[in-house]
Amino acid sequence: MWIAMIPPELLLQGYRLGVFPMALDDDSIGWFSPDPRAIIPLDNFHVPHALGRVARKRVFEIKIDNAFREVIRACAQREDTWINREIIESYERLHELAYAHSVEAWSKSRLAGGLYGVAVGGAFFGESMFHCERDASKIALVALVEHLRKRKFALLDTQWLTPHLRQFGAIEIPRVHYLKMLKRAVELPRKFL
C-alpha cells in the first residue's frame, strides 16, 4: 500500500521558514507557525533537582539514532496524536538523509524513552517525546541539550510551551523575534553527529 510522504525538501524549507507539519483529525496535513513560539534557551536550561539525582545515578544509557523508527512510532502511540503514517514516513526519510534524529534512553537493553526532532544548521526542532519508564524522556532531553551545547547549536525549538517543558526553562517569544533567531541559527555550519 502506498503512503503519502511530504517531500524532504519541502519539510526542510518549512523548518528554515519557521513552519512545521502536523496531522489533523481528518488525517490531512496542516502547517503551523505558532505565535508566540516556545524555545528552550540552551544557556538557561534547568534540570529539576530530583531529575539531576536520577541523571547522576546513570540509570539510563543514552544512545543517538540507534532506534529512530521505534522512537517515532512510540511517540505516535497516544490516544490524541498528530503523528500519522504520512508524518512517520516523512520523518523516517529525513532520518535516512541525516536531518531527523532520535535521542534514546535505554534501560537493561530496552528502549525506555526518548525523543526525536530535526536538525538544520545550528537549530534543532524538537518534535515529540515518549517514555515507558519514569524520567526516561526527561533524561533524553537532558542528553539532547548537552549534545547541542557541545556542538555549539544556537536554537532548541519546542514549538509550543507546555507545563512539562516549562520546568526545564522553556519560554515563549514573539514569532518575529523567533524568526530572527531562526535565520541566524539555520545558517550556522553545524553537524548534529
Side-chain angles (χ1 to χ4, degrees), residues 143-153:
L144 170 67
V145 170
E146 289 173 0
H147 187 80
L148 296 176
R149 285 175 172 169
K150 284 179 191 169
R151 282 157 180 75
K152 300 190 182 335
F153 271 62

Side-chain angles (χ1 to χ4, degrees), residues 17-158:
L17 297 173
V19 182
F20 57 88
M22 295 175 71
L24 305 176
D25 290 339
D26 65 359
D27 246 11
S28 65
I29 299 295
W31 292 83
F32 298 86
S33 182
D35 190 8
R37 186 73 165 239
I39 64 167
I40 295 178
L42 293 168
D43 292 341
N44 295 328
F45 183 71
H46 171 72
V47 179
H49 185 69
L51 187 63
R53 283 196 308 267
V54 173
R56 284 188 295 278
K57 288 180 183 176
R58 300 202 184 276
V59 175
F60 299 103
E61 178 185 2
I62 298 298
K63 297 181 183 181
I64 294 178
D65 286 351
N66 192 68
F68 184 88
R69 179 184 167 114
E70 291 84 353
V71 169
I72 194 169
R73 281 170 166 67
C75 289
Q77 296 301 312
R78 296 187 179 129
E79 194 169 311
D80 184 25
T81 185
W82 54 268
I83 304 171
N84 65 5
R85 296 212 32 207
E86 184 174 355
I87 293 286
I88 290 170
E89 294 290 328
S90 301
Y91 284 82
E92 285 182 345
R93 180 67 184 128
L94 273 190
H95 176 65
E96 291 168 7
L97 296 171
Y99 287 100
H101 302 280
S102 59
V103 178
E104 309 135 14
W106 292 77
S107 175
K108 298 175 185 154
S109 301
R110 187 175 143 272
L111 182 61
L115 58 85
Y116 79 95
V118 174
V120 179
F124 189 87
F125 308 88
E127 285 296 327
S128 190
M129 305 169 75
F130 86 98
H131 69 276
C132 300
E133 291 185 27
R134 181 185 170 111
D135 295 327
S137 62
K138 295 175 186 174
I139 293 295
L141 178 59
V142 171
L144 170 67
V145 170
E146 289 173 0
H147 187 80
L148 296 176
R149 285 175 172 169
K150 284 179 191 169
R151 282 157 180 75
K152 300 190 182 335
F153 271 62
L155 177 64
L156 174 51
D157 177 0
T158 65

Side-chain angles (χ1 to χ4, degrees), residues 38-41 44-48 141 158 160-172:
I39 64 167
I40 295 178
N44 295 328
F45 183 71
H46 171 72
V47 179
L141 178 59
T158 65
W160 281 288
L161 184 63
T162 65
H164 175 71
L165 293 173
R166 188 185 305 269
Q167 69 182 312
F168 295 101
I171 60 170
E172 290 181 320

